[in-house]
Structures are given as structure tokens and as C-alpha cells.
Amino acid sequence: MVHSYHCHGHAFQIVESGPVHKNSSIPAKRFRGRQPMRRDTITLAANRYVRLRIKADNPGVWFQHCHQEQHSYSGLAFTLIEAPDVMQRTLRVPQEMIEFCRILGHPTRGNSAGRAGSDMTGIKPPLAITGTANSIPDTR
């Protein structure tokens, strides 16, 4: 199985690639040089790993995922939350989104748990939206 892994918000450099199992006959490969190739997508075969380098200079919440949708649903996806302190100072959430969060009972201040800093106690599980667009509350 091959995974096409995509990184939003950044171009990464591939530093190393190799087999997951140490007894593999395929050796790991380290990419040398001052400027490894930059990209935002890589193809990764099953039972292999890659070590990536990113420059964390783009504050935001960035989705990282396998391009095969069923794999994203299975857990081959995550969000990279970069510089949350900078985001809290510089980004502005549109009022319509704040109102939508209030309707759903989600905090509208602080971090995703509604607390300061990295205190995540009391965080609610993510909202599971299924079905059609009609299952989302109408905020008009």
C-alpha cells in the first residue's frame, strides 16, 4: 500500500527515509547536503518511514493527511498547531464563526478547551458532523 502524504501550510524537506523494521534488507537513506529538496507531498510505501524537516514560520492550524480519503478517516491525518500564542495575538476570527461556536457550545476564548496557555483540561471531544448539510444547525 502506498500513501500520498500531504502537508498544508508548509513545504518540508525530506531528511531521512527507511524501513520501519530493523531487519529489513532495504537500508535507511539519509539525505545529505545543505538544501534537501522541498515539497508539500511525498509518496510513502507501507512499512517505511520518513523524517521531515519543516520551518515553523507560518502560524496557524495546518491539516496534514494521507490523500487516500479512507486512510485519513482511519487516523492517517492530524493537525499541526503552530505558534498558538502568535495566533491569539494576531488572527481575528469572523463574528459569524464565533456565533456558530456559541450555538454548538464550544468556547470562543482561550485555547480549544477555553483555557489559557497549554492547559487543555476539560476539552470537549470534536463534533462529529454526519449526513447532509441539513444536519448542521441553521444560524440565520
Side-chain angles (χ1 to χ4, degrees), residues 5-109:
Y5 172 80
H6 180 70
C7 177
H8 288 265
H10 296 87
F12 55 79
Q13 295 174 312
I14 303 166
V15 178
E16 183 177 293
S17 174
V20 173
H21 305 292
K22 293 184 183 207
N23 60 356
S24 173
S25 60
I26 305 169
K29 180 177 181 182
R30 290 182 185 255
F31 297 89
R32 306 247 183 242
R34 297 175 66 191
Q35 293 294 330
M37 185 184 308
R38 295 172 56 92
R39 54 180 62 206
D40 67 358
T41 305
I42 186 171
T43 302
L44 183 62
N47 298 314
R48 307 236 351 129
Y49 75 92
V50 293
R51 183 173 294 160
L52 306 175
R53 177 189 303 145
I54 67 164
K55 184 174 183 180
D57 63 352
N58 193 7
V61 179
W62 301 107
F63 190 45
Q64 321 293 310
H65 61 95
C66 179
H67 264 187
Q68 295 188 32
E69 198 166 339
Q70 69 274 22
H71 293 169
S72 289
Y73 293 139
S74 300
L76 291 175
F78 65 95
T79 53
L80 172 66
I81 303 173
E82 184 174 333
D85 54 334
V86 173
M87 286 191 301
Q88 286 180 347
R89 287 193 315 268
T90 61
L91 299 180
R92 298 293 169 248
V93 177
Q95 188 60 39
E96 302 84 38
M97 295 304 298
I98 292 172
E99 189 57 33
F100 189 67
C101 287
R102 282 192 182 124
I103 289 169
L104 295 175
H106 295 295
T108 58
R109 296 198 179 270

